[in-house]
Amino acid sequence: MNSVDNSRTALKIRSVNLDTGRENVVVISRQSTALRPEIFRGFSRVELRRNSRVLLATLLITDDDALVGPDEIGLSEPAFRRFAEPVGSLVTVTPAAPPESLEAVRGKIRGRTMSASEISAVVNDLTHYRYSDMEIAAFLISSASFMTSDELIALTAAMAQAGTQLKWANPIVVDKHCIGGIPGNRTSMIVVPIVAAHGLTIPKTSSRAITSPAGTADTMEVLARVNVGVDEMKAIVAACNGCLIWGGHVNLSPADDILISVERPLSLDTREQMVASIMSKKLAAGSTHLLIDLPVGPTAKLTNGMEAMRLRKLFEFVGDRFGISVEVITTDGSQPIGSGIGPVLEARDVMAVLTNDPAAPVDLREKSLRLAAHLLEYDPNLRGGAGYARARELLDSGAASRQMQKIIEAQGPSDCRDDLGNLTFDVTAGSDGFVSGIDCLRLNRLARIAGAPLDKGAGIRLFKKIGDRVERGEPLYRVYAFDRSEHDLTAAGAKSDTGYAIEKQRSLPGTAP
């Protein structure tokens, strides 16, 4: 590796307005007086040092002196935040050697099985942002080709141990997780207050949307603050038996968020990586009893019962190895749940169910009750089979609604706007008949084009579900947007493909196996 005299590599830190996502990026001038850019030919990564602080980053070279001066080094927003040194501080810059763990990834690409120590080293480098996106993709793709059961266990353990690990005094700590893919499926925001009102501990940490129009954290943020630290989270759970917060803020399995950010654009969603992702977070969260929801449907992540069974066995295998009681159920994933897609619309559905509004979506209410019933059955003092009746009692009596308000008050008010987009249009049926199918992926994509989840009031309100009769020109759904260009793009996309199938004969919703 080329060496550089540190006395000639001192550059002043400058923050540049570049949002590079998760990746650390730094920029130097081609006219740099303290550093010769040609030294770094062949190196895509550099190492910054100031005192004991070290940062690895991808290097870019610019000819724009307005962006970075000859005696400066520009740090992108993520790099500046992580390096945590003030503007104007002097740093030394040297070519960075690739992480040693990359050799294990190269072996994996060639078909070699990775040891537990090698996987731990990869995860450690991931969480310290030593991998570029290309190197992360190499690890993901090589692991997607094959992963042994021992590798799965090692990856789950390494990811769980890399961040915060929560411990609770209660012997039973319940949780639920859905593998996603179904629009409007905000059951967690109903299940948590039901279970917490009963008295079980359910510290729910959720994700933000990556490719969907809303994650649970995005939707809860319409109602309350979700950026809660570990100590505050523990205080909320102590007071309310549960919480609904963003998991990224409490640093549970931080490598998972890094992997997902590269995994999703590549459409990599292998069973083993999915199980390691979910189980590492539940292990780190201190869960003792876990319910997994596997929606099955034509446009869901799982399209048939055989796929669901294979995934169920993986979850149970990992749960057994780590001492977590895992129950896996399949649910109907043939169409969206509820009537809203997008944070504000989904939050309104949730509150309608919790407040027993007669207009509340029946499917969201019933699915939430069913999931809550399974969790309540973990209470040793509740008679077997009484879970559903107890869940319905807590919802109908208003106890769940009151518990939700208690959680909202404990987490604090949100600063997010809760109004719907002021630019709207209706997507109508092209013929008479019955709705025979709804493409969940298509509606997710259209809601994102409309601006969700960045604009929380953007999204789609559904008027028709599978089996409903429609007449030509009758609205199927309404799109909400704030930005004219997003409105127009969504309108063009919906015109090309509404996501709805309409047939002359009545077609009833499919049921999950």
Side-chain angles (χ1 to χ4, degrees), residues 23-351:
E23 192 164 3
N24 295 326
V25 174
V26 297
V27 185
I28 64 170
S29 169
R30 196 178 300 277
Q31 308 305 319
S32 177
T33 57
L35 187 68
R36 291 177 294 161
E38 61 268 21
I39 289 175
F40 293 94
R41 286 176 182 165
F43 294 93
S44 62
R45 305 273 282 172
V46 293
E47 180 181 280
L48 278 64
R49 283 186 177 270
R50 176 174 167 79
N51 300 323
S52 61
R53 202 175 294 274
V54 180
L55 180 79
L56 271 67
T58 299
L59 175 68
L60 300 179
I61 298 173
T62 181
D63 291 307
D64 184 359
D65 286 345
L67 181 65
V68 178
D71 62 342
E72 295 176 321
I73 183 166
L75 276 63
S76 67
E77 290 178 359
F80 184 76
R81 184 175 65 251
R82 291 173 188 139
F83 200 45
E85 292 288 345
V87 170
S89 301
L90 289 175
V91 297
T92 59
V93 186
T94 57
E100 291 184 9
S101 65
L102 267 179
E103 189 57 40
V105 175
R106 295 187 187 100
K108 183 70 174 174
I109 293 171
R110 294 191 295 268
R112 187 174 66 80
T113 299
M114 297 176 71
S115 68
S117 61
E118 288 173 333
I119 289 174
S120 180
V122 169
V123 170
N124 182 63
D125 284 336
L126 284 171
T127 55
H128 286 88
Y129 304 97
R130 295 176 184 139
Y131 274 32
S132 66
D133 281 357
M134 184 167 55
E135 291 161 346
I136 295 171
F139 171 66
L140 285 168
I141 293 170
S142 65
S143 299
S145 299
F146 78 98
M147 181 176 284
T148 67
S149 58
D150 286 342
E151 287 177 314
L152 171 58
I153 294 299
L155 181 59
T156 303
M159 290 170 65
Q161 293 164 7
T164 303
Q165 297 181 65
L166 298 173
K167 303 295 181 184
W168 307 95
N170 309 63
I172 296 177
V173 178
V174 303
D175 202 349
K176 69 159 286 283
H177 188 90
C178 176
I179 65 169
I182 307 302
N185 193 25
R186 292 284 78 82
T187 55
S188 291
M189 293 175 62
I190 300 167
V191 170
V192 168
I194 290 175
V195 173
H198 176 73
L200 288 178
T201 299
I202 180 164
K204 179 64 178 167
T205 61
S206 302
S207 61
R208 293 189 183 276
I210 297 177
T211 59
S212 71
T216 297
D218 301 302
T219 304
M220 184 64 185
E221 196 170 32
V222 175
L223 306 174
R225 184 169 59 93
V226 296
N227 292 348
V228 171
V230 172
D231 291 339
E232 195 174 4
M233 173 193 180
K234 291 179 178 179
I236 293 168
V237 173
C240 306
N241 296 327
C243 64
L244 284 153
I245 67 171
W246 176 43
H249 208 67
V250 292
N251 200 40
L252 297 179
S253 187
D256 180 49
D257 295 326
I258 294 170
L259 291 173
I260 286 175
S261 67
V262 176
E263 188 177 55
R264 293 289 172 83
L266 295 174
S267 297
L268 286 173
D269 209 1
T270 61
R271 295 189 306 274
E272 289 80 7
Q273 288 169 352
M274 179 192 296
V275 170
S277 166
I278 294 169
M279 294 302 292
S280 66
K281 287 198 169 179
K282 302 310 175 185
L283 184 60
S287 303
T288 63
H289 295 73
L290 173 63
L291 177 67
I292 300 290
D293 172 14
L294 303 182
V296 178
T299 58
K301 289 183 179 181
L302 301 174
T303 58
N304 58 64
M306 184 62 69
E307 290 180 350
M309 182 190 71
R310 293 170 67 189
L311 188 57
R312 172 178 63 81
K313 289 181 178 295
L314 274 182
F315 275 115
E316 291 171 345
F317 167 71
V318 176
D320 288 345
R321 289 291 294 267
F322 289 105
I324 300 175
S325 176
V326 176
E327 181 180 7
V328 183
I329 63 170
T330 56
T331 56
D332 180 13
S334 62
Q335 62 180 329
I337 303 293
S339 61
I341 306 173
V344 169
L345 289 163
E346 294 179 27
R348 292 184 180 187
D349 276 355
V350 165
M351 295 310 296

Side-chain angles (χ1 to χ4, degrees), residues 334-335 434-437 466-468 503 505-511:
S334 62
Q335 62 180 329
F434 296 88
V435 177
S436 59
I466 293 177
D468 288 347
E503 297 179 355
Q505 300 297 319
R506 187 180 186 88
S507 178
L508 295 176
T511 56

